Amino acid sequence: MALNADWLAVVDERIDQKNQRFTAVGTVADWAPPTVMVQFDGSALAVPVKAFGGISAGVGHRVGLMRFGTDWAVVGSFQSPTRGFIARSIRDSASATFTGTEVIVQSVTFTAEAAANYKVTAVQSIQSTVANDVGSVRLRWRNAKTLTPANSTVITQNIPAIAASGRGVITVCIGQISGVGGDVTVAVGMARDTGTGTLQSFGAVDRQENLLLVEAF
């Protein structure tokens, strides 16, 4: 049977389809949906691809991809994002004393995944030598292994009125960190806002434990 131009076109199309890849596996180089960077297996470079909604992945995670027309899209991850407990710090000793200059009384460092959301909870005691002073309890974070009040960002803060000395008052700060990967440090800073007393964050074994907790959700 002689092959005309139409038959030859069909044969060429079938050959092209046979040579095309419609699925692939790769490693995430950067995750910022809807466009992410993935290094395909066998390639030395990461390239931009799409990502289906609802998929969570982080840098270094292995993902599966499918081709839709000319676009590649991540359709699944071989690794589940981290959930639940991440890190904590418990302080059962008194902090250094302070007045109007903020001091860091407690901190914890963890490794964050860019695709995860983190809840940070601080439960802290604050007291003064003078009743009715007002102090700030500031929940801070920085994308690094260390932080200071000068180089970090305040997530949230409480400003309690300190009724008396002794164990002081308990204050709770809750904040969220999202879209950050790598080393992350969270900390509690305190300072006196108004008043004349000397302040301190009380802590003692079996009497007062100050908590700094990080959870992923």
Side-chain angles (χ1 to χ4, degrees), residues 110-136:
F110 65 99
T111 302
E113 298 178 5
N117 299 300
Y118 296 94
K119 176 184 176 182
V120 184
T121 304
V123 181
Q124 299 285 317
S125 164
I126 185 170
Q127 65 182 40
S128 176
T129 56
V130 176
N132 298 318
D133 277 359
V134 175
S136 288

Side-chain angles (χ1 to χ4, degrees), residues 37-108:
M37 299 294 291
V38 173
Q39 182 178 339
F40 284 69
D41 284 2
S43 173
L45 299 176
V47 296
V49 300
K50 306 296 184 182
F52 274 23
I55 296 175
S56 294
V59 175
H61 284 188
R62 300 282 290 161
V63 292
L65 304 99
M66 292 186 67
R67 184 175 177 179
F68 299 89
T70 59
D71 292 327
W72 284 96
V74 176
V75 296
S77 174
F78 296 105
Q79 293 169 266
S80 299
T82 304
R83 296 287 186 268
F85 170 81
I86 299 298
R88 72 174 179 176
S89 170
I90 296 176
R91 177 172 55 81
D92 55 9
S93 60
S95 74
T97 58
F98 55 91
T99 53
T101 300
E102 182 178 347
V103 298
I104 300 297
V105 300
Q106 195 165 354
S107 66
V108 65

Side-chain angles (χ1 to χ4, degrees), residues 4-209:
N4 59 28
D6 291 336
W7 277 107
L8 291 173
V10 171
V11 171
D12 289 341
E13 182 179 355
R14 293 292 176 86
I15 292 173
D16 288 341
Q17 290 178 350
K18 185 69 175 178
N19 291 332
Q20 287 182 356
R21 285 196 307 164
F22 291 94
T23 62
V25 175
T27 302
V28 175
D30 184 51
W31 188 264
T35 299
V36 301
M37 299 294 291
V38 173
Q39 182 178 339
F40 284 69
D41 284 2
S43 173
L45 299 176
V47 296
V49 300
K50 306 296 184 182
F52 274 23
I55 296 175
S56 294
V59 175
H61 284 188
R62 300 282 290 161
V63 292
L65 304 99
M66 292 186 67
R67 184 175 177 179
F68 299 89
T70 59
D71 292 327
W72 284 96
V74 176
V75 296
S77 174
F78 296 105
Q79 293 169 266
S80 299
T82 304
R83 296 287 186 268
F85 170 81
I86 299 298
R88 72 174 179 176
S89 170
I90 296 176
R91 177 172 55 81
D92 55 9
S93 60
S95 74
T97 58
F98 55 91
T99 53
T101 300
E102 182 178 347
V103 298
I104 300 297
V105 300
Q106 195 165 354
S107 66
V108 65
T109 300
F110 65 99
T111 302
E113 298 178 5
N117 299 300
Y118 296 94
K119 176 184 176 182
V120 184
T121 304
V123 181
Q124 299 285 317
S125 164
I126 185 170
Q127 65 182 40
S128 176
T129 56
V130 176
N132 298 318
D133 277 359
V134 175
S136 288
V137 180
R138 298 162 183 160
L139 188 56
R140 293 182 167 276
W141 80 281
R142 185 183 181 215
N143 200 176
K145 289 185 177 181
T146 61
L147 65 69
T148 67
N151 65 17
S152 57
T153 301
V154 175
I155 306 173
T156 185
Q157 70 175 348
N158 285 336
I159 307 177
I162 305 167
S165 56
R167 299 190 190 185
V169 297
I170 302 298
T171 184
V172 178
C173 292
I174 299 176
Q176 178 178 331
I177 300 171
S178 300
V180 178
D183 293 322
V184 171
T185 298
V186 293
V188 178
M190 294 186 182
R192 187 188 68 200
D193 280 2
T194 62
T196 59
T198 299
L199 278 63
Q200 189 174 43
S201 178
F202 178 78
V205 177
D206 298 328
R207 294 182 63 195
Q208 172 62 47
E209 291 184 337

